[in-house]
Amino acid sequence: MDLLQELNDRQRQAVTIDGGPVLVIAGAGSGKTRVLTHRVAYLIGEKGVPPHRIFVATFTNKAADEMKERIRKLIGADIRDLWIGTFHSLCARILRHEIEKLGTYTRYFTIMDREDQKKILKDILGQEGSRVQHLERLVEMISLAKTSRLQRSDYYLSELLKKYNKKMQEYNALDFDDLLLLPLEIFHRFPEVLEYYSSRFEHVLVDEYQDTNHEQYLLVKALSRIHRNVFVVGDEDQSIYSFRGADIQNILNFEKDFPDCKIIKLEQNYRSSQKILNAASRVISHNRLRLGKTLWTMNPAGKNLEIIETEDEEDEAQRVLEIIKSSGRPLGDFLILYRINALSRAFESVFQKNRINYKIVGGVKFYERKEIKDILSYFRVLVNPKDDVSLERIINVPPRGIGDETLKVIKKKADEEKLHLIEVIRNHRSIQLSERAHRSLDNFAGILDMLERKIDELNAYEMAQFLIDEIKYYDYLAGSFDSEKSLDKIENVKELVGEIKKIVSEGTGSIVDYVQQVSLRTDIDEYQASPEFVSLMTVHNAKGLEFPVVIITGMEESVFPHFRSRDSVSELEEERRLFHVAITRAIEEVYITYAQKRYLRKGYLLPSRFIYEIPQEIISYLDHRGGEIYSESKGKTEFTRRGEFEPGDLVFHQVFGMGKVIDVYEGKIKINFFKAGLKTLVVEYAKLERVE
């Protein structure tokens, strides 16, 4: 198969370019994944580079899985030795080999998620840690402090961080920040380790480079320092993760970091209609932090983008329902986007009433469901017996007579003697407990011993089946919840077992490998579109997806752009990039809705300023009653002159175009123009015409 046959000239240039630093600026829908995949295939298949000498960092595990499959099909070779995955998964792989050099962890460490971190902080703080919101904030503050993004620390936080780090070391556990920070620490303290990895990786490739953070930037620099074959693909106009530490300057300054770099721009869009692409391009042109590119497409012009005014969130959800029902399309064609998760409530309510199947991405995550965490916690304790957080979770699941009071005694003993819970449980007869409690602990210790003996005999799939049968977990679920809920939970566990079977069939057989891999999965990694349901998600979760019809909701000032961005030019530019990402998810149609009022915000709401940045000739406006009030392509609307105006009136001005009256006072009129934004005019001289 000719690797280059299906590529355009720019893509072909990127795939076959010689070594050295390369920046591929890839606009939305321009085929960046194809370029990255073909580049790896080209290096292995045409240039003879061994897979184990290539390091490929992707933004999600799902992207890595898809790329691996595509590369296999392109070259038909064994690429199991290829280093491909997210930065976190690749760093975890390095740490499995190197972490014991630090002297504080073993290679069988477990990876704590956000809920685990909150549990650790709650144990440290005692009564003070009872408020969930307080714990959420502390997890965030600790992350900021560890990555040096906190402007100002205080004594309280410094002491808390010390206690938190001490607990993590005791549990032989890492959080997601540690996965990036510890390899850098090892590279710094042990130059021979850095020498080994930077020599090993002849080629370093990075997807979504615009969303790398400082630690990832340092890792790229470190790993590519010898061969200098660093190939990054990204789009500064899609940099939307600064709240996670992503730094747009990494891509903007690539040429400064690598003065001899080659830059290739992918500007042909294969995804969207011309009108959708024109809208996205015009909006993003208002940003200053850009490298610049001119996107174009050979796709048909397509339909106008529709801007829909609604009265409130209920009316908005109803209008979206009408769009879906009247379209004749399968439900899977629709993607509903919003800036904040709270906006999903009204859509859920309307869809439930009308029996419309839907799926929310970013709701209760699969791996955070109780039944899933129960099974995985057993696995984690088997891999890392020091993981007290996981052990505490399973000690009485299914119920075996180990109550809160018994657990309290065990934890007190462990704390006093600086032992792990598993050590106290194995020697529980030395503690003053009831005979019933001792028998229950004997039973639990016996189960763990039996499972430990099976680790070397069974792969992860066989172990999951053995565990579920041995502890009679399905019986526990069936007897603990109502029939419908228990069936859902049993189905979830079966789905987990099926996933483990699939992973084992692909070569990751051991329970140790599986625990590491599953700890790094995210909600978006599990998402699969389907014709059977409408998809709902925040714009942040929609990165990399595409749908025939995209409905962008909640387009009001203070919602999108978010009110926190109003005093910051850089944050406002990121909000605009977020809107650009939302528009460019669409293939054929875009609907944009805004509400006059919303429960989340007080007072009368103004339409988002971003709406006015879309070219007027490619949009149609519908009012809250569903009638078209403006469409450039259909010619001017009929106007009637009126001497008096009231808030809510639609008016036309010869210079500023269509707008809505916000206020009338002392001979002046305040109007929110669709194109020109908010203006205050003198009524007598404005020559306004009211739209009937």
Side-chain angles (χ1 to χ4, degrees):
M1 177 183 177
D2 184 358
L3 276 175
L4 310 179
Q5 187 177 354
E6 57 184 35
L7 305 177
N8 66 33
D9 289 344
R10 293 275 183 89
Q11 292 171 339
R12 195 175 297 115
Q13 181 189 355
V15 167
T16 60
I17 199 164
D18 291 335
V22 178
L23 168 60
V24 179
I25 302 170
S30 63
K32 73 174 178 60
T33 305
R34 175 183 290 182
V35 164
L36 205 52
T37 304
H38 280 69
R39 174 68 174 171
V40 177
Y42 179 79
L43 291 172
I44 297 170
E46 299 294 326
K47 291 296 185 181
V49 180
H52 72 271
R53 303 207 67 184
I54 302 174
F55 180 101
V56 188
T58 61
F59 191 66
T60 63
N61 295 291
K62 184 178 181 180
D65 293 343
E66 290 172 355
M67 281 185 63
K68 274 188 280 193
E69 192 55 39
R70 287 197 203 181
I71 294 165
R72 279 195 201 101
K73 286 180 179 175
L74 283 171
I75 59 177
D78 182 1
I79 58 166
R80 275 180 295 182
D81 291 338
L82 177 68
W83 283 60
I84 182 169
T86 63
F87 274 103
H88 289 93
S89 64
L90 293 170
C91 285
R93 190 170 170 182
I94 290 173
L95 289 172
R96 293 287 173 202
H97 295 287
E98 312 296 344
I99 197 168
E100 291 179 356
K101 288 183 171 62
L102 295 174
T104 46
Y105 303 93
T106 78
R107 64 188 299 267
Y108 298 108
F109 60 82
T110 46
I111 300 165
M112 297 293 187
D113 63 21
R114 210 170 179 85
E115 291 305 309
D116 298 327
Q117 290 176 272
K118 286 193 283 189
K119 174 71 172 64
I120 291 168
L121 288 172
K122 189 174 181 180
D123 286 347
I124 292 170
L125 295 168
Q127 279 298 110
E128 195 186 340
S130 59
R131 287 187 294 124
V132 174
Q133 286 179 321
H134 180 55
L135 292 174
E136 277 283 357
R137 181 65 183 147
L138 285 178
V139 169
E140 188 63 33
M141 296 290 281
I142 281 173
S143 177
L144 291 171
K146 288 174 79 167
T147 55
S148 305
R149 289 185 287 135
L150 194 65
Q151 297 298 321
R152 184 173 55 84
S153 186
D154 55 26
Y155 178 77
Y156 172 79
L157 185 61
S158 298
E159 289 301 301
L160 183 62
L161 182 57
K162 285 179 192 172
K163 292 176 183 175
Y164 170 82
N165 285 336
K166 186 168 181 287
K167 278 287 185 192
M168 293 291 277
Q169 289 172 8
E170 286 174 11
Y171 296 160
N172 191 35
L174 308 181
D175 60 29
F176 274 68
D177 291 317
D178 294 327
L179 291 175
L180 301 181
L181 291 166
L182 293 183
L184 290 170
E185 182 182 341
I186 291 169
F187 290 166
H188 177 70
R189 288 173 55 184
F190 305 96
E192 70 278 9
V193 177
L194 173 58
E195 186 74 16
Y196 168 76
Y197 284 101
S198 56
S199 297
R200 173 180 184 146
F201 295 124
E202 191 177 331
H203 291 270
V204 175
L205 300 92
V206 184
D207 191 14
E208 306 283 11
Y209 190 66
Q210 77 281 350
D211 286 320
T212 51
N213 62 27
H214 185 62
E215 291 73 36
Q216 291 162 343
Y217 162 78
L218 292 176
L219 284 162
V220 171
K221 292 271 283 187
L223 294 174
S224 63
R225 74 186 190 93
I226 290 180
H227 297 290
R228 297 190 78 254
N229 294 323
V230 55
F231 184 99
V232 305
V233 183
D235 178 9
E236 79 282 8
D237 292 336
Q238 296 186 69
S239 178
I240 57 174
Y241 293 102
S242 66
F243 68 96
R244 292 184 190 165
D247 187 353
I248 193 174
Q249 295 300 329
N250 290 349
I251 191 167
L252 296 178
N253 292 334
F254 188 83
E255 199 171 358
K256 291 180 184 175
D257 291 328
F258 300 95
D260 58 335
C261 76
K262 305 175 188 78
I263 298 176
I264 300 168
K265 294 184 180 182
L266 305 183
E267 297 175 302
Q268 183 176 358
N269 175 284
Y270 290 93
R271 177 187 299 153
S272 305
S273 71
Q274 287 184 359
K275 288 184 178 180
I276 291 171
L277 191 61
N278 289 349
S281 298
R282 183 72 67 84
V283 167
I284 203 63
S285 69
H286 289 78
N287 274 8
R288 293 181 303 171
L289 284 176
R290 300 186 69 213
L291 294 168
K293 72 185 79 65
T294 305
L295 294 181
W296 60 277
T297 184
M298 294 177 67
N299 293 338
K303 295 175 64 175
N304 276 9
L305 288 76
E306 290 197 11
I307 315 291
I308 302 171
E309 176 188 81
T310 65
E311 293 184 22
D312 53 25
E313 52 268 87
E314 277 74 28
D315 183 34
E316 180 178 50
Q318 193 63 42
R319 296 292 294 280
V320 168
L321 175 68
E322 289 165 10
I323 291 168
I324 293 169
K325 289 176 76 172
S326 64
S327 70
R329 289 176 174 271
L331 296 179
D333 277 10
F334 293 91
L335 172 63
I336 299 173
L337 295 175
Y338 32 78
R339 174 63 180 83
I340 50 178
N341 275 308
L343 267 61
S344 70
R345 182 198 61 80
F347 298 108
E348 289 186 79
S349 176
V350 166
F351 289 166
Q352 285 167 3
K353 284 177 189 171
N354 289 272
R355 298 185 178 180
I356 297 290
N357 291 335
Y358 67 92
K359 183 168 186 175
I360 292 182
V361 177
V364 178
K365 296 176 174 59
F366 181 74
Y367 291 107
E368 290 178 8
R369 295 178 189 276
K370 179 194 180 304
E371 60 274 19
I372 303 303
K373 286 208 81 168
D374 286 348
I375 302 300
L376 295 181
S377 292
Y378 271 98
F379 274 25
R380 284 167 58 155
V381 169
L382 292 175
V383 170
N384 175 20
K386 295 179 180 179
D387 184 349
D388 286 0
V389 174
S390 294
L391 191 140
E392 187 176 336
R393 181 181 186 91
I394 61 171
I395 194 170
N396 200 41
V397 174
R400 51 177 63 92
I402 304 174
D404 290 344
E405 289 306 312
T406 301
L407 181 58
K408 205 176 288 181
V409 173
I410 293 169
K411 288 177 75 173
K412 186 170 183 285
K413 176 79 169 176
D415 199 43
E416 287 171 353
E417 301 195 11
K418 304 289 186 252
L419 298 170
H420 289 285
L421 294 182
I422 190 91
E423 296 171 295
V424 177
I425 289 167
R426 292 197 189 286
N427 296 285
H428 63 86
R429 292 282 173 180
S430 64
I431 311 173
Q432 184 98 24
L433 290 169
S434 69
E435 184 55 33
R436 182 172 177 274
H438 282 307
R439 284 198 302 272
S440 297
L441 289 168
D442 279 337
N443 171 256
F444 180 56
I447 288 171
L448 292 183
D449 288 343
M450 179 177 49
L451 292 171
E452 279 180 11
R453 289 194 295 271
K454 296 287 183 182
I455 284 180
D456 294 329
E457 296 177 30
L458 306 178
N459 62 36
Y461 169 60
E462 293 163 341
M463 180 65 91
Q465 289 183 307
F466 180 79
L467 167 65
I468 289 164
D469 289 343
E470 196 60 37
I471 65 174
K472 297 181 172 54
Y473 193 69
Y474 289 145
D475 292 344
Y476 156 64
L477 292 177
S480 302
F481 304 94
D482 63 58
S483 58
E484 189 173 340
K485 191 175 280 188
S486 65
L487 278 174
D488 284 345
K489 289 180 176 294
I490 290 169
E491 285 302 313
N492 286 337
V493 176
K494 287 181 176 178
E495 186 178 335
L496 175 71
V497 174
E499 182 217 54
I500 297 173
K501 184 179 183 181
K502 180 173 179 287
I503 289 173
V504 167
S505 71
E506 291 171 353
T508 309
S510 78
I511 186 172
V512 175
D513 289 339
Y514 175 71
V515 167
Q516 174 186 309
Q517 186 169 334
V518 78
S519 298
L520 295 164
R521 304 298 285 186
T522 64
D523 198 29
I524 198 67
D525 290 326
E526 309 316 310
Y527 170 73
Q528 292 290 339
S530 163
E532 304 303 318
F533 57 75
V534 178
S535 296
L536 294 88
M537 65 187 78
T538 64
V539 185
H540 284 103
N541 278 328
K543 189 75 170 293
L545 302 179
E546 59 178 44
F547 282 76
V549 184
V550 171
I551 305 172
I552 309 168
T553 64
M555 287 300 298
E556 304 100 29
E557 286 291 311
S558 84
V559 178
F560 197 175
H562 198 273
F563 71 87
R564 284 196 300 261
S565 68
R566 63 188 170 200
D567 298 323
S568 167
V569 172
S570 63
E571 289 182 21
L572 184 61
E573 289 209 353
E574 178 150 336
E575 292 288 305
R576 186 176 283 111
R577 291 195 292 271
L578 198 58
F579 185 50
H580 173 79
V581 167
I583 296 173
T584 53
R585 298 312 91 202
I587 299 171
E588 298 170 22
E589 298 178 27
V590 171
Y591 295 86
I592 297 170
T593 67
Y594 66 89
Q596 296 175 338
K597 57 184 178 181
R598 193 176 290 279
Y599 181 75
L600 286 171
R601 299 286 185 265
K602 291 180 180 178
Y604 185 85
L605 299 175
L606 299 176
S608 169
R609 70 191 70 190
F610 300 149
I611 291 175
Y612 307 129
E613 295 173 359
I614 302 171
Q616 298 293 290
E617 64 272 13
I618 59 172
I619 56 179
S620 301
Y621 285 97
L622 303 180
D623 67 13
H624 64 271
R625 292 178 295 276
E628 186 169 68
I629 57 176
Y630 179 77
S631 174
E632 186 82 15
S633 61
K634 291 189 177 183
K636 284 190 169 57
T637 312
E638 290 300 315
F639 301 113
T640 59
R641 193 175 294 279
R642 287 281 298 271
E644 295 178 3
F645 301 96
E646 296 176 359
D649 285 351
L650 293 165
V651 295
F652 180 81
H653 185 273
Q654 292 295 331
V655 175
F656 302 128
M658 290 287 296
K660 175 171 281 193
V661 176
I662 304 301
D663 196 9
V664 182
Y665 60 96
E666 298 175 357
K668 294 180 181 177
I669 185 166
K670 185 180 285 188
I671 303 169
N672 198 15
F673 288 102
F674 295 140
K675 189 172 183 178
L678 203 60
K679 302 284 182 185
T680 300
L681 307 173
V682 177
V683 176
E684 185 179 352
Y685 303 112
K687 296 183 179 178
L688 293 168
E689 298 174 71
R690 180 173 175 177
V691 183
E692 287 292 352

